[in-house]
Amino acid sequence: MCHYQTLFHDDSIGYVVRCTECEKLQIGYGNLMVTYSQEDFDSFRWWLKKIKEEQHPAQNPTLRCIVIPTPCDGMKLLLSMQELSDFYNMLEQADTELQSLELIRLFTNEK
């Protein structure tokens, strides 16, 4: 049974939690919920960063025109620039928390 550790939570944006048993990361954003391994989470963050960097700065920030592919055939995310920024920042803050927890674990000799 999963026991979750909160890495990021904001009622207006979403959440990222990690199971302390299986180490999977669960992301909740809008009406989307997805579970990733650490490696897939890192790949997804990298992919979002690349897509974010490719967007034109003069683009309407509220127009949903950014398509994010998913591993599921026929399923894509459709986000505005503001939503993409919020989503990406949420994942980055969660990753920073993960890194902090790993550093703490090194100093406390926990496995």
Side-chain angles (χ1 to χ4, degrees):
M1 179 173 207
C2 287
H3 294 92
Y4 292 108
Q5 173 182 44
T6 301
L7 303 172
F8 177 90
H9 179 265
D10 183 321
D11 285 338
S12 64
I13 298 171
Y15 69 88
V16 180
V17 294
R18 176 176 64 169
C19 174
T20 57
E21 303 295 319
C22 68
E23 303 264 322
K24 299 268 185 179
L25 295 142
Q26 185 180 92
I27 302 166
Y29 181 78
N31 62 356
L32 168 75
M33 185 182 77
V34 65
T35 302
Y36 283 129
S37 67
Q38 179 68 52
E39 183 179 334
D40 290 340
F41 177 76
D42 292 339
S43 295
F44 186 63
R45 278 184 27 256
W46 178 86
W47 186 242
L48 280 183
K49 180 180 180 183
K50 182 178 177 186
I51 291 170
K52 186 174 178 280
E53 290 171 348
E54 292 173 352
Q55 301 310 305
H56 193 278
Q59 173 178 315
N60 181 337
T62 60
L63 180 65
R64 285 191 173 139
C65 60
I66 303 167
V67 177
I68 313 290
T70 71
C72 300
D73 263 351
M75 183 178 182
K76 296 173 178 53
L77 303 177
L78 183 61
L79 303 175
S80 68
M81 188 60 196
Q82 183 61 54
E83 291 168 333
L84 176 59
S85 291
D86 289 345
F87 194 28
Y88 176 73
N89 291 336
M90 177 180 83
L91 299 183
E92 285 300 298
Q93 288 181 47
D95 184 60
T96 299
E97 182 68 15
L98 272 173
Q99 290 176 29
S100 298
L101 291 169
E102 286 302 312
L103 282 172
I104 290 168
R105 189 177 349 185
L106 286 174
F107 290 107
T108 60
N109 295 321
E110 291 180 17
K111 292 196 177 195

